[in-house]
Amino acid sequence: MQKLTHINSTGEAHMVDVGGKAITERSATAEATVTMQAETLQLILEGGHKKGDVLATARIAGIMAAKKTGDLIPLCHPLALTSVAVELIPKPQEMNVLVRATCKLSGKTGVEMEALTAVTVASLTLYDMCKAVDKTMTITNVKVIEKVGGKSGHWQLSSD
């Protein structure tokens, strides 16, 4: 097992020095699932929510969050993202919304944390906008599903 990169030789937390790393094209995709009552999802899809367009608001929140990851997560580098795409995919048969985010940049460090931050904040926004009508919602299965670039190359979560 590899050692933790954010812990130095004396056990203290520190920001990893990426100064010597090569600039490469990097991307990461993460996803989460927001499960709700069928009536809640129908309300969202019909655009009948009093607070407005739930999916559009959650998408914008996810994009904004990805851009603020370095301010939110200790020891994360502030990154100059070149792209953040957030998809909210309603799945009425499963009574959920799949939230997926892909972040990209040309840089010296990966963007997994930005993708994870985007999906979690988009999911939390969806929850916040609908909690008055559905207190049973859950946010689950938050995970990185793909990463490209850097020393480790291309990695994809197996579907096993």
Side-chain angles (χ1 to χ4, degrees):
M1 177 179 254
Q2 293 180 328
K3 66 179 188 165
L4 298 174
T5 59
H6 287 80
I7 306 295
N8 67 15
S9 61
T10 60
E12 300 168 326
H14 73 103
M15 185 180 232
V16 175
D17 182 356
V18 297
K21 293 173 98 179
I23 294 174
T24 61
E25 296 295 316
R26 298 166 182 261
S27 70
T29 301
E31 63 183 30
T33 303
V34 183
T35 303
M36 62 198 67
Q37 295 174 12
E39 297 82 14
T40 307
L41 185 53
Q42 191 62 36
L43 184 67
I44 292 169
L45 295 176
E46 290 174 354
H49 200 291
K50 287 190 278 186
K51 291 186 178 182
D53 188 335
V54 174
L55 299 179
T57 304
R59 182 177 302 106
I60 292 167
I63 292 167
M64 291 174 65
K67 294 166 48 174
K68 291 289 190 181
T69 301
D71 294 332
L72 297 170
I73 308 294
L75 308 177
C76 266
H77 293 85
L79 301 180
L81 297 170
T82 57
S83 173
V84 179
V86 177
E87 300 174 88
L88 291 105
I89 305 159
K91 298 192 168 196
Q93 306 86 322
E94 299 167 27
M95 298 187 331
N96 67 39
V97 175
L98 178 66
V99 182
R100 184 177 296 137
T102 300
C103 297
K104 297 179 182 180
L105 62 65
S106 295
K108 295 182 176 199
T109 188
V111 290
E112 300 95 290
M113 293 308 301
E114 287 70 16
L116 286 165
T117 301
V119 298
T120 54
V121 171
S123 296
L124 288 168
T125 301
L126 199 155
Y127 184 97
D128 181 51
M129 292 185 74
C130 296
K131 69 182 185 271
V133 296
D134 186 351
K135 296 185 182 359
T136 68
M137 290 181 293
T138 61
I139 299 169
T140 58
N141 301 320
V142 178
K143 60 191 170 228
V144 174
I145 60 169
E146 185 173 28
K147 169 189 170 335
V148 178
K151 186 171 66 172
S152 59
H154 182 225
W155 173 87
Q156 194 163 16
L157 183 65
S158 81
S159 57
D160 296 339

